[in-house]
Amino acid sequence: MKRRGILFVVSGPSGVGKGTVRASLFEREGVNLSYSVSMTTRAPREGEVDGVDYFFAERAQFETMMAQDGFIESAEFCGNYYGTPKAYVEKQLEAGHDVVLEIEVQGAFQVKKAMADAVFIFIAPPSLNELQSRLNGRGTESPDVVLKRLQTAVKEMMLMSEYDYVVTNNEVQAAVDHILAIIEAEHLTVERVAANIREDLLSEAVDF
Ligand code: 5GP
């Protein structure tokens, strides 16, 4: 019997480096994870590719998909919609693959309500000063957008305690190491191992 994969939700304030950490995670050799590409109404940044970085959509298209219950979660973040298409994630989990979502905090809370067995990892900045300089240094947003994102980040930091793990992004490769350690540990929890043993016993109809 194929075991269902685990859903890992990587979340945290904008500018904390979630995207970089996630990209480096998927570049690691031997990593066997599926990444769920989100849909957004935000305009593509230079170099972003449709279907790879995001599925870029018009608001009307996004709203239609929302009305059809096509997202696991969706959120409006700094004036744009972002959402996780449901079909891909379900298919991957069903096929036994672990799936990683990289989403902001409101969305992570929706996933928490909908999928209680998902694992929630909060990526924290080394400090708020560092977060501000990363947002400024990125140079992709205007000063008012940076300020809006920073204000959102402060609120988001307060919600860290709702997560299962915190990874401080001091250094990208160290953060990736921590995420891989979490993924490994989650496969070894008594709850999951015992459930797997139960399934095996049932499927082999072992008699005591
Ligand atoms: P950006 O515009 O910088 O690519 O993303 C803005 C924020 O939206 C980031 O915190 C990013 O993690 C988050 N985000 C990306 N995709 C999704 C999604 O599908 N759902 C939610 N809720 N947030 C997302």
Side-chain angles (χ1 to χ4, degrees), residues 10 12-15 18 35 37-40 42 45 48 54 73-75 77 80 82-85 102-108 110 138 141 149 156:
V10 173
S14 171
K18 299 191 290 293
Y35 175 61
V37 177
S38 297
M39 186 176 279
T40 185
R42 159 167 88 55
R45 294 188 186 123
E48 283 185 331
Y54 282 106
E73 60 73 36
S74 62
F77 180 84
N80 292 300
Y82 295 82
T84 303
E102 180 231 307
I103 61 178
E104 53 66 70
V105 173
Q106 301 170 61
Q110 288 175 42
R138 194 152 77 175
E141 270 84 28
R149 287 192 176 216
E156 288 172 340

Side-chain angles (χ1 to χ4, degrees), residues 17-38:
K18 299 191 290 293
T20 312
V21 170
R22 182 258 302 164
S24 303
L25 172 66
F26 280 83
E27 278 164 11
R28 276 288 174 94
E29 213 159 299
V31 162
N32 196 10
L33 298 164
S34 302
Y35 175 61
S36 163
V37 177
S38 297

Side-chain angles (χ1 to χ4, degrees), residues 12-193:
S14 171
V16 77
K18 299 191 290 293
T20 312
V21 170
R22 182 258 302 164
S24 303
L25 172 66
F26 280 83
E27 278 164 11
R28 276 288 174 94
E29 213 159 299
V31 162
N32 196 10
L33 298 164
S34 302
Y35 175 61
S36 163
V37 177
S38 297
M39 186 176 279
T40 185
T41 58
R42 159 167 88 55
R45 294 188 186 123
E46 206 180 309
E48 283 185 331
V49 177
D50 189 34
V52 176
D53 299 287
Y54 282 106
F55 295 109
F56 295 101
E58 298 298 326
R59 280 183 91 83
Q61 190 187 347
F62 195 102
E63 282 164 357
T64 303
M65 191 146 150
M66 246 190 315
Q68 291 167 344
D69 197 25
F71 294 110
I72 293 180
E73 60 73 36
S74 62
E76 190 155 7
F77 180 84
C78 295
N80 292 300
Y81 284 136
Y82 295 82
T84 303
K86 198 182 263 183
Y88 175 82
V89 173
E90 271 308 322
K91 198 169 152 201
Q92 293 296 312
L93 291 175
E94 224 19 72
H97 302 303
D98 291 343
V99 178
V100 173
L101 307 185
E102 180 231 307
I103 61 178
E104 53 66 70
V105 173
Q106 301 170 61
F109 276 75
Q110 288 175 42
V111 179
K112 199 167 177 180
K113 280 195 196 130
M115 302 175 89
D117 58 350
V119 177
F120 296 85
I121 304 172
F122 189 91
I123 309 289
S127 68
L128 279 177
N129 277 346
E130 177 62 25
L131 183 64
Q132 182 170 19
S133 61
R134 283 183 195 179
L135 280 169
N136 281 326
R138 194 152 77 175
T140 49
E141 270 84 28
S142 59
D144 58 323
V145 172
V146 168
L147 183 65
K148 207 163 161 193
R149 287 192 176 216
L150 202 61
Q151 285 165 343
T152 307
V154 173
K155 286 189 206 141
E156 288 172 340
M157 292 292 287
M158 317 292 260
L159 299 168
M160 187 197 280
S161 58
E162 299 294 319
Y163 285 68
D164 299 308
Y165 298 92
V166 178
V167 170
T168 301
N169 186 20
N170 277 317
E171 199 275 314
V172 174
Q173 293 309 328
V176 170
D177 287 341
H178 286 135
I179 292 175
L180 288 172
I182 292 166
I183 292 173
E184 197 172 345
E186 281 294 326
H187 278 277
L188 302 176
T189 62
V190 170
E191 219 179 354
R192 284 206 176 84
V193 173

